[in-house]
Amino acid sequence: MTRSSPNAVHGAFTVDRRYEVPVQNVYAAWTDPDLRAQWFVGPENWTLTERSFDFRPGGRERLAGRFATGLETVYAATFHVIEPDRRVVYAYVMQLAGVPHSVSLVTLELRGERATTRFRYTEQIVFLDGTDETKGTVSRKHGTAAHFDRLGDLLVPPPPA
């Protein structure tokens, strides 16, 4: 593993959401490959080049793409704990230009409350390339929250015809 900085920098954040749908709907949108592909996407000016999703303990997810600038990114996750409709724990590596940028441990917790779902995502990060902890963590949280905004948009039922 090659790093551009000898200093690892740590950060952590939590994103909470409340979705007005049953927990089973949120879990399905998280675990169904077709639904997941609708909200778990790269940012603007980024083109998907590879997607794979094997959702099971020990299974892996991979999302690779390229920015308009030519910078290639790879998100590679391994799922460790899966408790349907309740909890998912996984780790992922983010690579930029073939070099590990960060490694994260994630816990997703779901709690159904009647016809709504409380959603809590907690990520602990180590930046391997000297990324500033505050800027890096704020940027990662912002991007992650954007995913969950798209997830919320997907979960909203269409208006009646």
Side-chain angles (χ1 to χ4, degrees):
M1 179 184 303
T2 302
R3 293 182 289 156
S4 58
S5 172
N7 300 319
V9 178
H10 298 83
F13 66 90
T14 298
V15 176
D16 290 304
R17 291 285 191 272
R18 180 181 172 152
Y19 297 117
E20 300 297 325
V21 296
V23 69
Q24 296 85 356
N25 295 38
V26 177
Y27 186 76
W30 187 273
T31 62
D32 178 282
D34 294 328
L35 293 174
R36 188 167 174 85
Q38 294 178 50
W39 64 268
F40 190 64
V41 297
E44 288 185 33
N45 299 316
W46 183 86
T47 302
L48 178 71
T49 59
E50 178 185 353
R51 179 186 291 274
S52 63
F53 186 65
D54 179 15
F55 190 73
R56 62 181 172 83
R60 297 177 187 266
E61 179 176 29
R62 185 175 170 93
L63 211 64
R66 182 176 301 108
F67 283 96
T69 62
L71 176 66
E72 294 182 352
T73 66
V74 176
Y75 162 94
T78 301
F79 299 101
H80 297 285
V81 176
I82 297 174
E83 299 172 19
D85 300 333
R86 186 164 176 262
R87 179 178 308 144
V88 178
V89 179
Y90 62 98
Y92 76 89
V93 175
M94 180 64 71
Q95 292 184 11
L96 303 177
V99 177
H101 164 67
S102 64
V103 178
S104 294
L105 175 65
V106 173
T107 303
L108 169 67
E109 298 170 289
L110 303 171
R111 190 173 79 212
E113 297 175 347
R114 295 184 187 147
T116 67
T117 302
R118 295 269 183 192
F119 175 103
R120 172 166 276 187
Y121 173 98
T122 303
E123 182 168 339
Q124 301 168 53
I125 316 161
V126 58
F127 294 102
L128 302 169
D129 60 2
T131 294
D132 175 85
E133 183 269 333
T134 301
K135 287 173 63 177
T137 301
V138 167
S139 176
R140 180 69 56 88
K141 182 177 183 178
H142 176 77
T144 300
H147 288 307
F148 301 148
D149 291 345
R150 284 190 297 274
L151 172 59
D153 292 344
L154 177 67
L155 293 169
V156 172

